[in-house]
Amino acid sequence: MIMSSCSLLHMADEDDDRVFEMGDYQGPVARWCSGCGDHSVLTAAQRLMADQQLKPETTVFVSGIGCSSRFPHYMKTYGFHGLHGRALPVATGVKLARPELDVFAVMGDGDCVSIGAGHWLHATRYNLDMVALLLDNNIYGLTKKQTSPTTPKGYKSNTQPYGSYLPPMNPLEVTLGITNASFVAQTAEWLPAHLFATLKAAYEHRGFAFVRILQRCPHFMQDMYSEAVKNTDLVQILDHPEGIKAEGIDKIYTNRLRHDPADIHMARELAEDMNTIRLGLFFRDESRPRYEETRALQKRTAREKMDLLNEDFDRYAV
Ligand code: SF4
């Protein structure tokens, strides 16, 4: 449920000398399985809040349904835990109604890539200034090991006990193919420095920042990334002065590829190859139009919008 932050916002003026620590954003203890990658993403998000000194009363986390969708419960900000696949339409509504808020949409792979796929395409195209996190654990965890759109081919689940029939969808490739995509990155929850740097870059981006986070589900997908965690050579870091700079990982992650995030053709080529785990900024273009800037109604008050709506409805009066 969204709560009104109007009265609190009045407190947050230029005289506001509050300093926020990570603990100021921490809600109750998360109920995810021990070792679940969601814990790491939650910590990174709280670290980002403190790093950027985001005001809890002007920050909103919106989610759909799935393990990772419990995210808003664990943040001491405003939040909306909604319907399956509907994080993005709710986040879009919040951002359009209150453009001054910092909006984060948190989705799982079933949530975003399956039932919410239509919203994902259009939210990317609308390019509203918000952060969209896809916590991709390649399985429906909440409903106990059902094949998701990103489950690897051949993986045996409770819905496909003889193995997944189809090759998995590629969320990076899809997002990079959407008209007006402006920021596409990939990171991994087991690499906290890279995860934090990616969230920071996504937050600082002016537009719709789509981040796919490779997330381990030790309960149902034990082996999914175990080799990549042990052998750092299996992970390739996209490197560029304009890319994502993660501190302290250069000596450990030496498999690096120079990639200019302004080059969408190369970004698509790199994303298409699903045999290599690539982390970094695939694409960024801040010149792409943002819907909130082009929207004429933005300049109207709530009363004026309501009058316009009523005027329109009256046209159909019988
Ligand atoms: Fe995390 Fe998997 Fe447990 Fe869900 S089932 S909380 S994704 S480890």
Side-chain angles (χ1 to χ4, degrees):
M1 182 180 68
I2 284 188
M3 293 164 277
S4 166
S5 58
C6 293
S7 53
L8 286 165
L9 262 179
H10 291 144
M11 292 159 49
D13 53 23
E14 55 270 12
D15 299 329
D16 188 347
D17 57 359
R18 291 174 296 168
V19 176
F20 298 105
E21 308 287 341
M22 263 182 79
D24 294 317
Y25 306 98
Q26 288 166 349
V29 175
R31 283 167 49 192
W32 294 309
C33 306
S34 101
C36 174
D38 290 348
H39 293 284
S40 167
V41 183
L42 181 68
T43 303
Q46 290 162 345
R47 191 178 154 205
L48 175 76
M49 306 289 114
D51 182 78
Q52 298 293 312
Q53 286 295 292
L54 300 193
K55 294 180 173 64
E57 70 273 13
T58 56
T59 305
V60 187
F61 277 78
V62 181
S63 67
I65 294 294
C67 290
S68 57
S69 290
R70 292 196 56 78
F71 214 93
H73 294 272
Y74 308 138
M75 294 295 299
K76 245 197 244 167
T77 61
Y78 284 94
F80 192 109
H81 185 182
L83 298 175
H84 201 202
R86 310 301 180 226
L88 286 171
V90 173
T92 299
V94 172
K95 191 68 190 177
L96 285 178
R98 298 287 303 278
E100 77 280 14
L101 301 183
D102 289 309
V103 179
F104 296 78
V106 182
M107 303 166 286
D109 38 304
D111 204 37
C112 172
V113 185
S114 185
I115 189 169
H119 301 303
W120 163 35
L121 305 191
H122 291 287
T124 304
R125 176 172 164 259
Y126 273 53
N127 193 31
L128 287 159
D129 189 12
M130 66 170 81
V131 177
L133 304 178
L134 167 59
L135 282 74
D136 192 350
N137 62 2
N138 314 92
I139 198 81
Y140 285 92
L142 192 71
T143 46
K144 312 286 178 249
K145 203 180 181 182
Q146 297 178 318
T147 301
S148 95
T150 61
T151 301
K153 189 175 179 187
Y155 187 79
K156 293 182 175 131
S157 71
N158 287 331
T159 42
Q160 297 187 325
Y162 298 107
S164 172
Y165 312 124
L166 299 172
M169 272 185 79
N170 183 333
L172 294 177
E173 192 185 17
V174 173
T175 313
L176 285 163
I178 300 169
T179 312
N180 213 33
S182 71
F183 182 106
V184 181
Q186 178 158 273
T187 184
E189 49 74 15
W190 65 88
L191 240 167
H194 196 274
L195 174 62
F196 171 73
T198 307
L199 295 193
K200 188 163 183 281
Y203 173 72
E204 286 169 351
H205 175 68
R206 299 268 295 151
F208 186 79
F210 178 83
V211 181
R212 182 190 186 205
I213 304 172
L214 305 180
Q215 182 230 314
R216 291 167 296 174
C217 168
H219 205 70
F220 294 124
M221 298 292 278
Q222 291 86 353
D223 299 327
M224 186 67 200
Y225 296 112
S226 52
E227 282 307 307
V229 173
K230 278 187 268 174
N231 182 357
T232 56
D233 287 342
L234 297 180
V235 175
Q236 188 170 70
I237 304 288
L238 300 182
D239 211 359
H240 195 273
E242 297 299 316
I244 286 162
K245 296 163 197 69
E247 283 172 23
I249 66 163
D250 296 15
K251 287 196 179 126
I252 307 163
Y253 285 84
T254 52
N255 179 3
R256 306 180 89 81
L257 178 76
R258 192 171 171 87
H259 166 61
D260 180 354
D263 185 347
I264 188 137
H265 301 295
M266 184 52 74
R268 286 176 179 149
E269 220 171 276
L270 294 173
E272 192 184 18
D273 169 19
M274 291 175 78
N275 295 317
T276 309
I277 296 176
R278 295 200 166 98
L279 305 184
L281 184 56
F282 282 73
F283 180 65
R284 174 171 55 209
D285 181 356
E286 289 207 325
S287 71
R288 298 205 158 182
R290 292 189 287 124
Y291 186 66
E292 67 264 48
E293 286 177 338
T294 56
R295 193 165 163 268
L297 280 177
Q298 189 66 40
K299 298 189 182 79
R300 300 187 196 276
T301 64
R303 183 67 259 165
E304 287 168 337
K305 289 179 197 172
M306 195 52 82
D307 288 346
L308 276 173
L309 272 176
N310 282 330
E311 211 176 282
D312 239 31
F313 289 145
D314 286 346
R315 288 171 53 212
Y316 302 100
V318 285

